[in-house]
Amino acid sequence: MLRWLYIQLIWLHPAPFRWRFGDDMLDDFDRSTLRAKPRYFADAAASLARQWLLRPEFRPESMPVAADAPLETLGAPLFQTFETYKPHPAALFQGGLLAILSISLVVLVIGKGGGVARPFLIGVHFSSPSLLPIDRNSMTGSDLNTTVKLGPDPFEAWLKLARPYFTSMPVLGALDADRDLTLSPWEIGNAPAALRKLDINYDGKLTPEECGLHIDPNSVPPALLAQLRQRFMSYHPALAALDTDHDGEISSWEIEHAARSLRKLDRNHDGYLTADELIPFEMAVHAGLR
């Protein structure tokens, strides 16, 4: 593209100048680097003004054209080699004026439309349910013989079961900071800080009562009380995962490593703990979800 533009710039020079220096100018341009080509364009533009204004010896009228003058220069086709022909300024003005008038007339005719021709409509003149005839005899008068019934959404069923369960479990309520019934990776990582807020007596550990067990210690024998507390911690998946030594309490060490323990409940390894991974199996079976 740059070479073509440079050739056109050389072509604007007087014909005698092109015959003498055109090939050398183009050869220098081809050998130059891309960074140097703007300088060649500027030099050719300055040379163009200089040849026409300050060098009369290169003008065609002051220099006879030889009979064997080349018909082609710089690889230009023959129809571009009318060097001595220049349209008269009056002819250019008349041609431009005629072109403007012709285009204006065409635009005017298109815009007005003449008001005579019938408008051309695209489409059909009458409404029809289909452009192609369809034989509906096979469908007329037939009753539906298949009924599709959609069952309840399993996800909604799990959420319906999870709402009261999360409310009754202080541990899950503390872990689920945004109350979306799902433990996100951030909430799992923040588990130690959330669990420490449940330590009412500040002894550094969480007892079953602090985790949600509601029982009066004075109403049952000590042996049965220990059994009930152990059963409570093992029944709930989150508490069973946190109580790694299964002693019925969540120690300070277990609180510190709570995030790692909770991640073991992530069965599908998506980084989240959903209701189906936190609700006890027996509760899900009773609700018909297992």
Side-chain angles (χ1 to χ4, degrees):
M1 182 62 182
L2 294 177
R3 188 177 189 273
W4 182 86
L5 292 176
Y6 191 74
I7 291 175
Q8 303 309 311
L9 195 58
I10 296 176
W11 189 254
L12 296 177
H13 284 72
F17 180 87
R18 293 197 308 271
W19 297 337
R20 184 173 178 181
F21 302 107
D23 291 337
D24 295 336
M25 293 176 63
L26 184 61
D27 185 60
D28 293 340
F29 180 83
D30 291 337
R31 294 181 180 182
S32 64
T33 62
L34 182 61
R35 181 177 299 179
K37 291 188 185 303
R39 181 171 58 83
Y40 280 87
F41 274 100
D43 183 71
S47 173
L48 179 63
R50 185 167 55 251
Q51 306 313 318
W52 282 107
L53 298 177
L54 303 178
R55 299 287 180 86
E57 64 271 16
F58 286 123
R59 296 177 189 172
E61 58 271 14
S62 63
M63 189 173 183
V65 180
D68 57 347
L71 296 179
E72 292 186 357
T73 56
L74 305 177
L78 289 175
F79 61 84
Q80 292 183 351
T81 58
F82 299 102
E83 295 89 352
T84 59
Y85 174 75
K86 292 183 181 180
H88 196 274
L92 292 176
F93 175 77
Q94 295 174 1
L97 183 60
L98 181 60
I100 294 174
L101 291 177
S102 301
I103 295 175
S104 301
L105 181 61
V106 172
V107 173
L108 181 62
V109 172
I110 293 175
K112 296 296 182 180
V116 178
R118 181 183 177 184
F120 181 73
L121 300 178
I122 299 177
V124 297
H125 294 279
F126 304 99
S127 62
S128 174
S130 175
L131 295 177
L132 300 177
I134 299 176
D135 185 7
R136 301 181 182 273
N137 293 332
S138 61
M139 296 182 287
T140 304
S142 60
D143 297 329
L144 297 177
N145 55 10
T146 304
T147 303
V148 178
K149 294 183 178 180
L150 299 178
D153 187 359
F155 181 74
E156 290 294 334
W158 278 108
L159 291 182
K160 184 178 180 180
L161 182 62
R163 288 187 183 95
Y165 179 69
F166 271 62
T167 303
S168 63
M169 292 291 297
V171 170
L172 294 180
L175 294 175
D176 187 18
D178 56 5
R179 302 293 186 267
D180 63 347
L181 306 179
T182 300
L183 300 185
S184 65
W186 180 86
E187 291 170 335
I188 295 175
N190 193 52
L195 292 176
R196 291 189 185 97
K197 296 179 181 180
L198 300 177
D199 186 12
I200 301 175
N201 56 5
Y202 302 103
D203 60 352
K205 61 183 179 179
L206 296 179
T207 62
E209 288 76 15
E210 292 172 324
C211 293
L213 177 61
H214 301 285
I215 189 173
D216 185 7
N218 300 322
S219 61
V220 294
L224 180 59
L225 177 62
Q227 185 178 0
L228 293 176
R229 297 176 70 188
Q230 185 71 32
R231 184 178 300 176
F232 175 80
M233 297 295 291
S234 61
Y235 176 77
H236 301 280
L239 300 182
L242 294 171
D243 185 16
T244 56
D245 57 4
H246 307 294
D247 63 347
E249 293 181 342
I250 303 177
S251 64
S252 59
W253 185 91
E254 291 168 338
I255 292 176
E256 186 67 28
H257 299 81
R260 183 177 63 182
S261 301
L262 289 173
R263 291 190 184 97
K264 296 179 181 179
L265 299 175
D266 185 14
R267 292 192 296 269
N268 57 3
H269 306 288
D270 63 348
Y272 293 81
L273 292 181
T274 54
D276 60 314
E277 295 169 328
L278 295 172
I279 293 178
F281 180 81
E282 294 81 359
M283 186 180 298
V285 171
H286 182 72
L289 298 177
R290 294 289 189 185

